[in-house]
Amino acid sequence: MSKTAQPAPYARQAGTDWLLSCADTPAEIRTRWDADQLGEFPSGGHWRVAEAALAHSMDAIKRIGLSRQGPVLADVSQGIAWWLLPPTLGDELDDVRTITIRPRGWVLRCPPVLYPVRGRVWIERPDGSGRLTDPVLLGAALGPGGGPRLSAEAFG
């Protein structure tokens, strides 16, 4: 890179650093992003993935609150959102019919943190802290009735 060339937008961003730390092949991800392609991140080791309709997910984001949720990726052309959950996820979401839990090893195709690629965009960006969405809060926000099943104190 020449002295006047600007680094890629993901070069010095904490959320991007965290996301790349979850990749099996960070250098390959950077190359794909440079070519405006999606990077491939297998689920299981660093997070699990819950898939839900984008419209329902937008409502859930409001219910949970920004300070209590982790990254959420969306595909706006397909109307789908993917929530990143702890890798230790158990059966907390088994009774929530509006969510599909993807199996370990399922590949989530992600754009860089700061800009969309091919209709995919982070509607809640990774912030570098490693914070993931609490599955109990997600289940309460997306579960039967679409509202919280927990006490108000649980939501802060």
Side-chain angles (χ1 to χ4, degrees):
M1 179 183 327
S2 72
K3 291 182 181 182
T4 58
Q6 293 295 317
Y10 55 78
R12 293 185 319 251
Q13 203 269 344
T16 298
D17 291 344
W18 175 80
L19 187 59
L20 286 170
S21 77
C22 298
D24 292 340
T25 56
E28 183 179 315
I29 300 293
R30 287 180 187 268
T31 299
R32 293 181 67 80
W33 286 346
D34 285 343
D36 275 340
Q37 296 177 358
L38 299 167
E40 296 184 353
F41 293 82
S43 66
H46 298 278
W47 64 63
R48 295 288 304 276
V49 178
E51 182 176 301
L54 180 56
H56 292 136
S57 293
M58 296 304 290
D59 291 338
I61 286 170
K62 292 179 199 171
R63 288 185 185 109
I64 294 172
L66 296 178
S67 65
R68 307 272 311 209
Q69 65 195 7
V72 182
L73 178 64
D75 187 312
V76 296
S77 61
Q78 294 183 37
I80 299 172
W82 297 278
W83 295 74
L84 302 188
L85 307 174
T88 57
L89 178 69
D91 61 359
E92 299 94 334
L93 297 170
D94 287 355
D95 66 339
V96 182
R97 289 176 290 198
T98 58
I99 298 173
T100 300
I101 302 300
R102 295 297 178 184
R104 293 180 184 280
W106 184 80
V107 175
L108 182 63
R109 290 172 175 81
C110 303
V113 172
L114 296 178
Y115 62 91
V117 171
R118 297 186 180 189
R120 293 200 180 182
V121 61
W122 290 98
I123 53 177
E124 291 303 325
R125 294 176 176 164
D127 63 7
S129 71
R131 181 181 64 215
L132 302 168
T133 300
D134 181 327
V136 173
L137 293 179
L138 181 61
L142 288 175
R149 293 178 286 181
L150 302 173
S151 67
E153 292 83 24
F155 287 93

